[in-house]
Each structure stands twice: as C-alpha cells, then as structure tokens.
Amino acid sequence: MRGRKYYEAYDDRYKQVYGKSLRWFSGANSKIVAEVIEKYGITKTMKLLEIGCGEGRDAFYLLKNGYDLLATDISPAAIAYCTSNCPEKPEAFQVLNCLSDRVEEEFDFIYAIAVLHMLVPDEDRAQFYRFIYDQLSDSGIALICTMGDGKEEWSSDISTAFDLQKRTHEFTGEALCIAGTSCRKVSFQTFFEEILSSNLEIAESGLTSIDPDFPAIMFAVVKRKEQ
C-alpha cells in the first residue's frame, strides 16, 4: 500500500485476526528469555526493552514478575491489545519503529523474539542491529531470536506483503483471510556476519524452540563490541 512500509502489514494481520475475536499467537512465554535473564544475572532493578512485543507473550510474564520493562511494537493494534490485557501497566507498552525511532535511555537487556525475520532488505536488517547497538548500555546484552534452522536462505517478495492469503488459525482451525506479511530466513553464517558487521559481539548462539509457535528458531546473545 502506498506510503506504508512492507513490514506494517503485520499491523493489518493483527487487525484482521482481532476482527474475528481471536489472537494470532499462543500466550506461552518464551523460555529462552527467562533462561538468558537468569544466566546473565539480569535483575529487577535493571532496564529491559522488548522489540516487537506482539500480543505480550513475554511482556506479560516479565511485568507480572516485577521486571522494569518497556515493551514496544510497530503495530498500534498489537499495543492496544497489550494495554487492554495489562491495564495495570499501560505505560509499559509503546508503539515504536526500531528502524527509525529511538528511546531516550539505554537498556541492560534487550530482546527481540521472531522480529528479525520480518525484515527482508539488508538495509532494514542493518537498521535493526543499529537500534540494538544504540540502545544497549555499555555492559548490556541482547537476545535475538529469528526464524530459521541455521541452513536455509530464503525471502518473501515484499511487494506482496499486504496481499490477502488464506490461512488456518492454528488454535481454532478457523479459516482466515489475512495479510501475507514478510519473511526472510538466513543461515547461521549470514546471521553471524550481520551481527559482527554491526559492531556487536556474540556471547553465545544456537537453535532452540519456542513452543508452540516456533518449533525451531535461531538465537544469539550479543553485546557491544569492545572498542
């Protein structure tokens, strides 16, 4: 659609799903987020930032457990869903485009679950990494999880992101007609090259699962490269 970025089709998808009184993803929190928080000593006094909170799967869990979190998403529909389902913490959610916007503070832990794969052109992916670099504190870490098995290289046609496709809702079996959106899967080699070229270092990486939504997903824990 004229004047809109291809990745904004995800906002259309949320609206279309909510119009059917459904949610797109499950409500189960991502175990790897909790595992990284524990392993790297992220405390409740530290500043946390989520890129692409979607329907609040991880944000709700962390806020309930007392973490100081700002959860962001490019989709106003997703943010409205989160605030309506977390009325005690509406200030914890914010519409934000990580490719063009910035937050006026640094964060000790940033995480992005199944966001990077939505970005297709190299320049958009580079801006994603730049946002992480700019918003991380000097000693902070970030967790990036992106769809893929570490081997496959594939991308969708972004010109068709807003085109409607027939999809079956995973949890109800209901037939939906929703925006096709965008996707790019990369190999570990490409993933690592992107990270390292963005002045970031890799602390650890691998494959994990975020059931039931992502049976296989790549991850990397990164930090600012030492100057």
Side-chain angles (χ1 to χ4, degrees):
M1 295 177 67
R2 184 175 296 178
R4 299 180 69 195
K5 300 293 187 180
Y6 66 92
Y7 45 76
E8 294 180 82
Y10 281 89
D11 186 51
D12 283 18
R13 176 178 286 186
Y14 283 127
K15 290 176 182 175
Q16 290 151 359
V17 170
Y18 299 154
K20 296 286 187 178
S21 299
L22 300 171
R23 61 177 292 156
W24 186 241
F25 292 109
S26 74
N29 66 290
S30 309
K31 291 183 179 179
I32 189 171
V33 173
E35 290 169 353
V36 169
I37 284 174
E38 181 178 4
K39 181 174 181 178
Y40 289 87
I42 305 301
T43 69
K44 295 177 183 179
T45 63
M46 293 179 174
K47 295 283 187 180
L48 280 62
L49 173 68
E50 179 172 13
I51 305 172
C53 63
E55 294 166 313
R57 168 180 51 221
D58 294 302
F60 295 160
Y61 172 81
L62 292 177
L63 291 169
K64 181 180 178 180
N65 282 279
Y67 285 92
D68 184 3
L69 171 71
L70 175 61
T72 69
D73 201 285
I74 194 172
S75 167
I79 293 298
Y81 178 93
C82 288
T83 55
S84 66
N85 283 275
C86 191
E88 67 277 14
K89 286 279 189 178
E91 72 284 358
F93 299 93
Q94 179 180 320
V95 176
L96 180 139
N97 182 343
C98 70
L99 304 191
S100 59
D101 301 335
R102 291 294 184 270
V103 181
E104 292 185 359
E105 59 183 314
E106 293 182 340
F107 296 87
D108 303 297
F109 179 51
I110 299 174
Y111 65 96
I113 307 300
V115 174
L116 179 59
H117 77 266
M118 303 186 326
L119 304 175
V120 177
D122 288 342
E123 57 267 29
D124 288 348
R125 295 170 70 87
Q127 284 297 108
F128 168 87
Y129 291 111
R130 182 69 195 187
F131 176 87
I132 290 176
Y133 180 90
D134 288 346
Q135 299 287 176
L136 266 181
S137 65
D138 289 340
S139 59
I141 63 165
L143 168 65
I144 305 168
C145 293
T146 186
M147 286 177 60
D149 60 6
K151 301 176 182 178
E152 184 179 10
E153 293 268 357
W154 174 87
S155 63
S156 64
D157 180 355
I158 62 175
S159 70
T160 65
F162 291 95
D163 292 355
L164 298 180
Q165 297 180 356
K166 291 183 178 179
R167 298 283 295 273
T168 300
H169 189 254
E170 183 175 354
F171 306 108
T172 65
E174 183 172 346
L176 302 176
C177 197
I178 57 177
T181 66
S182 55
C183 182
R184 180 178 175 185
K185 295 181 180 181
V186 300
S187 64
F188 270 122
Q189 179 177 346
T190 299
F191 189 31
F192 295 162
E193 288 173 353
E194 290 177 339
I195 293 169
L196 296 175
S197 67
S198 302
N199 289 318
L200 297 168
E201 295 181 344
I202 301 169
E204 65 173 300
S205 62
L207 281 173
T208 189
S209 61
I210 300 175
D211 296 325
D213 299 304
F214 305 104
I217 196 164
M218 303 157 61
F219 78 89
V221 176
V222 305
K223 59 182 180 178
R224 280 182 164 190
K225 188 177 295 183
E226 295 184 8
Q227 300 299 318

